[in-house]
Amino acid sequence: MFESRGRYDDEDFAPLVPKTYDLPDLPWSLAGKLERTSIAVTHLDARLAASGLAAGWQSRCDMVEATRALILDGHFVDIGDVVLHDAGMDVRSPTHELTRAAAALRARRMALARKAPWPLSIDGLSALRGLTLPSGLAKPLGKGMGAQADYEPDHDDEDPLAGHFAEIDAILARTSKTLAGETPLPKRRSHLVYDPEIDEAENEDLWLDVVKRTEQWPAIAAAAITWDAWTALGMYPRQPWLGLIMAGSILRARGLTTHLLPLVSGYKASRYRLQGGEGGVEKVEAFARIVDEAVSQGEKDLQRLILARETMMRRAKDCRSNSRLPQLIDLFLSRPLVSVAIASKLIGVTPKAVDLMLAQLGGALPRELTGRRRYRAWGIV
């Protein structure tokens, strides 16, 4: 009744080929364009280091990037709400959009506070998404009061494998408890929110493999291809801002810059949008234009900060040694928007003292942004 088979076909034992992401072949003709872009990034980094405004520039850049990242995703968040939320002074209950902007701001600060290769790892991806805290972090990441980040890198950054070993130990411990019946099995994720056809773990492995295979590429080309792979794999569609943060982290990991460039602003200014038929050369050239626009935006913002600092410091040179006016000037240089309430809380003086310092600045006072009496705010624009 059943036909017996004396031998097996070759396809029954076909070898399993691991899934990989195909990398494009790039011609040497791109070298000149990539070199010019790399030099521009290096010059901006050198100007930031020489100006003494790197921390303030990065703080302003992070807040602006967090709001523009949501604009590209179709949501609008007022920069004033982001500044107030970051200072812990919300005037109303945070909206869903504001919470997402705060998550983007926290991810940028976290990626910048740790050593450069850390974001390009499983531990880094998990922490930047907000699923886990970085190893050694004692307090939760919340509203940042500093210009750079809310925590300092810990000692285990010296060993890049320490985070992976700690994660493996945690998984083994949870598995042992589950098998022993001590903890219930986690519920399956809702298909109304998450696509069951998307394997996030597999996509993470594929993307990290692209990062590893492009280690010897020029920094701009490597960042362009890894960002394209991030988009093609559909990595974390609920957190679209992470893609350009990863691209900026690659530029930082390759030693091209020590800061996170405003790539979202560059992407918005370059007007580059994926059409689906671009080749590898077109994608790298388009990303190079994005970096050029980001550098241009960064240089303009730095020049505004330098001029504003020189103007305000002329007013502060004759102030008393115990005056808080220099701290108010530093606050203007590190925030896109400053109100009397924010200055009073962060500097530690009364609102009346802030009003007196604003009057002391006179014509050097930054531009008023609100034009209202009950709520007034100033910023360097």
Side-chain angles (χ1 to χ4, degrees), residues 64-368:
V64 174
E65 286 286 285
T67 58
R68 290 182 176 175
L70 263 68
I71 291 176
L72 294 181
D73 195 35
H75 302 281
F76 175 76
V77 179
D78 186 72
I79 186 66
D81 292 337
V82 175
V83 174
L84 289 171
H85 183 75
D86 183 63
M89 301 177 61
D90 297 282
V91 295
R92 65 181 70 90
S93 298
T95 62
H96 175 66
E97 290 76 14
L98 179 57
T99 303
R100 297 184 67 193
L105 176 61
R106 182 169 59 248
R108 286 186 60 88
R109 286 175 170 171
M110 189 188 303
L112 185 64
R114 309 281 285 196
K115 290 190 175 180
W118 176 80
L120 311 175
S121 63
I122 289 292
D123 186 28
L125 289 175
S126 180
L128 292 178
R129 294 179 63 194
L131 300 181
T132 61
L133 291 177
S135 55
L137 186 60
K139 61 179 181 179
L141 293 170
K143 304 175 178 63
M145 299 297 294
Q148 292 290 347
D150 299 322
Y151 66 94
E152 296 294 334
D154 59 357
H155 63 279
D156 63 4
D157 281 338
E158 302 296 334
D159 185 3
L161 297 179
H164 297 284
F165 290 147
E167 183 179 359
I168 292 173
D169 293 339
I171 293 175
L172 292 176
R174 290 196 302 268
T175 303
S176 300
K177 291 182 178 180
T178 301
L179 293 176
E182 298 179 10
T183 57
L185 292 175
K187 296 181 180 179
R188 299 183 61 183
R189 298 193 301 182
S190 173
H191 293 174
L192 296 176
V193 180
Y194 299 94
D195 188 352
E197 301 296 330
I198 296 179
D199 188 349
E200 290 187 352
E202 181 183 19
N203 290 341
E204 288 174 351
D205 293 338
L206 289 175
W207 186 78
L208 291 175
D209 180 63
V210 172
V211 174
K212 183 177 181 181
R213 290 159 61 194
T214 56
E215 284 181 349
Q216 304 303 322
W217 289 31
I220 301 294
I225 297 304
T226 51
W227 179 52
D228 177 66
W230 183 285
T231 304
L233 293 172
M235 298 281 288
Y236 316 137
R238 294 169 58 83
Q239 296 161 315
W241 58 82
L242 278 179
L244 289 175
I245 292 178
M246 291 294 105
S249 298
I250 290 176
L251 298 179
R252 181 168 169 258
R254 304 298 165 84
L256 203 60
T257 178
T258 57
H259 303 86
L260 276 181
L261 297 177
L263 293 180
V264 177
S265 300
Y267 178 79
K268 185 175 181 295
S270 68
R271 299 181 181 179
Y272 170 67
R273 302 298 180 266
L274 290 173
Q275 302 296 330
E278 299 86 357
V281 176
E282 290 80 6
K283 292 176 181 178
V284 173
E285 290 179 343
F287 183 79
R289 291 197 300 271
I290 291 174
V291 176
D292 289 336
E293 292 290 345
V295 170
S296 177
Q297 296 282 343
E299 289 181 344
K300 292 177 181 178
D301 195 22
L302 177 61
Q303 187 63 30
R304 283 193 292 266
L305 292 181
I306 291 175
L307 293 177
R309 181 182 62 178
E310 292 178 353
T311 304
M312 289 187 291
M313 290 305 294
R314 292 195 189 102
R315 296 281 183 169
K317 64 179 181 179
D318 296 329
C319 64
R320 300 186 304 272
S321 59
N322 61 345
S323 175
R324 300 293 183 90
L325 185 57
Q327 297 183 28
L328 179 62
I329 294 175
D330 292 338
L331 194 61
F332 276 119
L333 298 175
S334 63
R335 296 290 193 281
L337 177 147
V338 176
S339 65
V340 174
I342 291 177
S344 176
K345 178 178 179 180
L346 299 185
I347 298 178
V349 296
T350 62
K352 182 61 177 179
V354 175
D355 290 333
L356 293 176
M357 287 187 289
L358 293 175
Q360 187 176 353
L361 287 175
L365 182 66
R367 183 182 301 176
E368 186 175 353

